[in-house]
Amino acid sequence: MRIVLLGPPGAGKGTQARRLAESTGMTHLSTGDMLRSEVASGTELGLLAKGFMDSGDLVPDSSIIAMIQQHIADPSGVLLDGFPRTLIQAEALNEALDQIGLPVDQIVYMAVNIDELIRRLSSRVVCKECQTPYNLEVDRPIKSGICDHCAGEVIVRDDDRPAAVKNRMKVYEELTAPVLDYYQSRMNVVEVIATGTPDAVFTKLNEAIGSDAPFN
Ligand SMILES: [Zn+2]
């Protein structure tokens, strides 16, 4: 089973994909997390990616596609979060799946209006060690600045700073919004209104996925 989670920055794709992966046993493929781990290990890809990410720009398609191709055939099934982010990536994903004879089973679009997105991104912080996301308005760590799970330091990511957030929204409109059109013209895209608490959104997502493809 391969599920693609689409949606603008701040829609909660990462949080929800993590929970879905836990509840279904599927592998969560987050290009953002993968890239941040490359940056942290100081790999060649990490060094290349860091400059793009810090300013809110997209890392080049070829690097992202190569990274995803290594994991796409995972027999546990994959939840794609943050990929495909451009039309070129969407086409590359189709090609890669065609080659191994596996389809995209479901596309879920997480819809949130722009004011809400900007508010969310501006209050978002993340654990530097284990990447657990928090929100200073609705989902703070129990001890200020310290991760509930691993006691790591909780920080504002460079790409969540105001100038980068503004640029990410612009990049999303130009490059990623067309990916939604691309899929809508080819297959059924399930839309989930991703507002409300993370629990409420998780319930809606499970209903949406369950209504379109059998899970259990
Ligand atoms: Zn942590």
Side-chain angles (χ1 to χ4, degrees):
M1 179 108 180
R2 276 142 305 278
I3 298 179
V4 174
L5 280 185
L6 294 178
K13 298 187 295 296
T15 304
Q16 298 297 338
R18 246 179 223 109
R19 294 181 64 162
L20 275 175
E22 259 171 43
S23 71
T24 61
M26 295 172 77
T27 299
H28 174 203
L29 287 188
S30 159
T31 49
D33 287 350
M34 290 160 113
L35 287 170
R36 281 186 285 277
S37 115
E38 299 278 343
V39 170
S41 332
T43 64
E44 197 180 331
L45 172 59
L47 291 176
L48 171 91
K50 188 173 181 354
F52 291 100
M53 293 165 76
D54 286 352
S55 57
D57 288 316
L58 298 185
V59 175
D61 286 325
S62 54
S63 305
I64 300 287
I65 291 164
M67 201 171 69
I68 284 290
Q69 272 175 340
Q70 298 169 11
H71 302 280
I72 197 66
D74 190 317
S76 314
V78 293
L79 268 168
L80 288 163
D81 152 26
F83 181 91
R85 205 164 262 191
T86 65
L87 281 178
I88 289 173
Q89 290 178 9
E91 278 158 5
L93 176 62
N94 265 357
E95 235 168 74
L97 288 175
D98 272 353
Q99 275 171 18
I100 53 177
L102 297 170
V104 170
D105 296 285
Q106 198 165 28
I107 311 274
V108 180
Y109 173 64
M110 295 176 63
V112 182
N113 74 53
I114 183 112
D115 293 340
E116 169 79 12
L117 290 175
I118 289 176
R119 206 175 54 75
R120 282 188 192 179
L121 288 174
S122 330
S123 58
R124 186 160 82 166
V125 290
V126 67
C127 173
K128 203 173 161 184
E129 305 303 327
C130 72
Q131 312 293 336
T132 298
Y134 296 92
N135 185 293
L136 295 176
E137 289 184 13
V138 296
D139 180 26
R140 298 164 185 252
I142 294 166
K143 277 191 203 165
S144 174
I146 311 240
C147 178
D148 295 349
H149 301 289
C150 75
E153 187 190 355
V154 172
I155 57 161
V156 177
R157 270 176 15 199
D158 285 334
D159 62 347
D160 286 336
R161 297 184 191 284
V165 165
K166 217 173 142 200
N167 191 37
R168 283 166 76 191
M169 289 298 167
K170 188 170 149 257
V171 167
Y172 175 79
E173 284 304 325
E174 282 171 13
L175 297 176
T176 310
V179 173
L180 179 61
D181 299 336
Y182 171 89
Y183 281 120
Q184 277 172 334
S185 69
R186 290 166 171 250
M187 61 189 286
N188 182 38
V189 175
V190 182
E191 181 171 320
V192 170
I193 306 294
T195 50
T197 63
D199 281 347
V201 175
F202 186 63
T203 303
K204 284 193 249 182
L205 264 179
N206 269 308
E207 282 167 7
I209 288 170
S211 68
D212 210 46
F215 241 129
N216 301 310

